[in-house]
Amino acid sequence: MASIIPFKAVRPTRDKVSLVASRSYQTYTQAEREARLDYNPFSFLHIVNPGYKYDLELKGEDRYKLVKNRYLEFKEDAIFMQDNLPSFYVYKIVNREGNEFNGIVAAASIDDYEKDVIKKHEDTIEYREVVFKEYLKTVGFNAEPVLLTYPDNDKLSSIISDTQKERPEYEFTTTYRDTHYLWVINDAEKLEVISSEFSKINRLYIADGHHRSASSVLLSKEFEEQSLNNSYNYFMSYLIPESELLIHEFNRLVKDLNGMSKEAFLIKLDAMFRIENRGAILYKPSKKHHFSMYLDGEFYSLYLRKANYNISNALDALDTQILYKTILQPILGISDMRNDKRLDYSHGKSDLVTIKSKVDSGEFKVGFGLVPVSIDELKSIADEHLIMPPKSTFIEPKLRSGVTIYEF
């Protein structure tokens, strides 16, 4: 049973939230980051990049301490405030394509993570877990929720819908053309109903934020024998119903044909796929176990010869795994999909034109298009305690940092 509780968020004031909210640091180009740091003194980027004012690139403990200093300065300057009452936060995002996401920002239980009530489908890198754990330990806050999804629930949907009839605490549109809304729920009766409904849910699934949640678990274990407040036993999450989760595919690009000619490569593929040349017309697969391929100025459709491929579990049936087991590893010689420099990825929000342009430019030799992973596939992988190949899903919504902050 899931333990989801309210918390006292630290938040920007209403007049400054649009200036504070930022995408993840890594998603900005250097020019974009510098422009925001130069001309927006309220951007959350000033907190996560504290060395900018000194023209220094800081790392490790030195950076973490300055992050905490900048954060405290934002609080001292009344850019941030903390709610007086524990609250749930109804959060709505409408992206530039018109997709709508409605969920609740809350604190999720570390104990649920360890007991497999909160389920995972991606592997994590121990080094990154430890680094982020040390970061959290020093700065004392988390500013970006883990994205969790739950089975659609009529009672929770009704509460979210009724809350949204009131004036939102926040309403702002970003330069990325996403519009964000936030409502605060601190009525004791409503808080109890929300927590009670989540307690009836047996399984939650991490959609995005595996490293953030794993790092929070490490931090909780480090402090479990010390008399610290209960906040270390929870981590900030944004929970949305499964029907609103939007999953895009990650396509694959490879720099060479592993020493083979185009003709030899196609003959190798023929053993596992029925191949059709589609010419110069953009071809996007529409069914599971079907792939598109762009090679030497032409698109091909690849249909898996199912009689030649054994499916024994949910991972075997995943298209990213099929591509790996039938082409990337045995034919193109790519064993390490996380670190092989010959392999790159393009998420499905960038259409097949991206693959075509990168192959036509000579940067890559061949590109493969896939259909998106479904929510049922994601859940099956997690339920069977299996791990998806790297870059199997590009999931929306993408949250902004600094809108709600969880203090330890």
Side-chain angles (χ1 to χ4, degrees):
M1 315 298 273
S3 175
I4 301 298
I5 65 170
F7 69 102
K8 298 178 182 178
V10 175
R11 304 186 283 112
T13 55
R14 180 184 287 177
D15 62 315
K16 294 184 178 65
V17 62
S18 63
L19 298 170
V20 171
S22 72
R23 304 199 309 269
S24 295
Y25 182 81
Q26 296 83 358
T27 64
Y28 292 98
T29 66
Q30 182 176 346
E32 287 175 327
R33 283 197 298 267
E34 290 179 356
R36 282 160 174 77
L37 290 165
D38 283 341
Y39 300 111
N40 180 5
F42 303 109
S43 173
F44 194 77
L45 293 176
H46 283 286
I47 293 177
V48 296
N49 188 19
Y52 187 77
K53 66 184 293 185
Y54 302 117
D55 197 27
L56 290 174
E57 189 71 32
L58 300 172
K59 295 182 179 180
E61 188 68 16
D62 289 338
R63 173 175 169 262
Y64 306 161
K65 289 178 179 178
L66 281 186
V67 167
K68 184 171 185 178
N69 289 347
R70 294 291 167 273
Y71 173 67
L72 293 175
E73 288 170 7
F74 269 51
K75 292 182 73 174
E76 292 163 1
D77 293 340
I79 299 168
F80 285 143
M81 61 179 187
Q82 184 165 29
D83 288 322
N84 295 321
L85 298 172
S87 306
F88 288 122
Y89 303 88
V90 171
Y91 201 140
K92 174 180 175 180
I93 303 172
V94 182
N95 71 10
R96 64 170 75 184
E97 290 85 14
N99 298 303
E100 189 173 301
F101 310 97
N102 301 275
I104 296 174
V105 177
S109 168
I110 297 291
D111 194 45
D112 285 348
Y113 180 98
E114 296 194 286
K115 291 182 177 178
D116 206 33
V117 174
I118 297 175
K119 291 183 167 288
K120 295 126 334 237
H121 68 268
E122 287 184 7
D123 207 354
T124 53
I125 301 171
E126 184 178 0
Y127 169 76
R128 288 184 60 191
E129 290 181 22
V130 173
V131 166
F132 195 60
K133 184 264 291 183
E134 291 300 319
Y135 171 84
L136 294 175
K137 179 181 174 182
T138 302
V139 304
F141 68 85
N142 192 353
E144 187 176 351
V146 172
L147 181 61
L148 299 179
T149 188
Y150 60 88
D152 287 39
N153 178 290
D154 289 340
K155 186 70 172 179
L156 290 172
S157 294
S158 177
I159 291 172
I160 290 172
S161 178
D162 288 345
T163 300
Q164 290 176 344
K165 294 174 183 177
E166 304 170 5
R167 181 193 177 192
E169 176 71 12
Y170 297 153
E171 180 179 358
F172 65 96
T173 299
T174 70
T175 55
Y176 210 60
R177 298 183 181 179
D178 296 339
T179 302
H180 297 246
Y181 307 82
L182 182 137
W183 294 261
V184 181
I185 298 178
N186 53 30
D187 175 79
E189 184 175 343
K190 288 183 179 179
L191 295 181
E192 176 58 33
V193 171
I194 292 171
S195 290
S196 176
E197 286 302 309
F198 276 115
S199 72
K200 300 173 186 176
I201 296 174
N202 293 324
R203 297 173 180 176
L204 301 174
Y205 295 85
I206 299 176
D208 194 17
H210 285 79
H211 281 93
R212 293 194 297 277
S213 52
S215 300
S216 296
V217 172
L218 286 181
L219 185 65
S220 175
K221 287 181 177 179
E222 183 167 327
F223 288 118
E224 64 184 351
E225 295 181 359
Q226 301 181 32
S227 56
L228 295 171
N229 60 59
N230 192 45
S231 60
Y232 283 99
N233 297 322
Y234 290 83
F235 58 91
M236 183 169 63
S237 301
Y238 178 45
L239 299 106
I240 69 170
E242 292 174 2
S243 63
E244 295 193 20
L245 197 68
L246 187 57
I247 307 177
H248 300 280
E249 70 277 16
F250 261 109
N251 298 317
R252 271 75 168 133
L253 290 147
V254 184
K255 290 185 178 292
D256 59 67
L257 297 182
N258 199 24
M260 288 177 286
S261 66
K262 169 186 170 182
E263 292 73 20
F265 177 58
L266 289 171
I267 289 172
K268 288 275 191 181
L269 289 182
D270 194 80
M272 293 300 298
F273 296 91
R274 182 162 60 87
I275 306 169
E276 292 185 20
N277 188 322
R278 302 280 180 159
I281 299 174
L282 291 174
Y283 173 73
K284 184 177 178 64
S286 58
K287 295 174 62 176
K288 294 294 180 185
H289 311 335
H290 291 186
F291 305 86
S292 67
M293 180 176 73
Y294 185 66
L295 172 67
D296 195 26
E298 296 178 308
F299 280 93
Y300 296 81
S301 57
L302 306 180
Y303 301 145
L304 180 69
R305 298 186 189 276
K306 296 180 182 179
N308 296 343
Y309 182 82
N310 181 48
I311 296 177
S312 60
N313 56 39
L315 179 60
D316 290 336
L318 201 67
D319 281 351
T320 51
Q321 180 73 355
I322 291 172
L323 191 69
Y324 172 68
K325 296 295 289 186
T326 60
I327 301 177
L328 297 182
Q329 183 187 45
I331 299 177
L332 294 177
I334 295 172
S335 297
D336 186 351
M337 289 197 293
R338 193 179 299 276
N339 299 307
D340 197 310
K341 301 301 183 184
R342 297 167 56 223
L343 178 67
D344 201 1
Y345 303 90
S346 172
H347 62 69
K349 290 198 75 174
S350 303
D351 58 25
L352 290 175
V353 174
T354 301
I355 289 180
K356 182 179 186 302
S357 63
K358 289 189 174 185
V359 172
D360 287 345
S361 71
E363 182 182 1
F364 294 91
K365 187 67 176 179
V366 62
F368 300 95
L370 298 84
V371 297
V373 172
S374 70
I375 182 62
D376 288 337
E377 287 180 305
L378 184 152
K379 290 167 62 178
S380 294
I381 292 287
D383 289 343
E384 294 182 30
H385 300 98
L386 300 170
I387 299 298
M388 288 186 184
K391 301 292 187 182
S392 288
T393 58
F394 180 86
I395 293 179
E396 290 188 275
K398 295 297 182 187
L399 302 171
R400 293 272 160 160
S401 296
V403 178
T404 57
I405 297 173
Y406 181 83
E407 284 193 349
F408 303 112

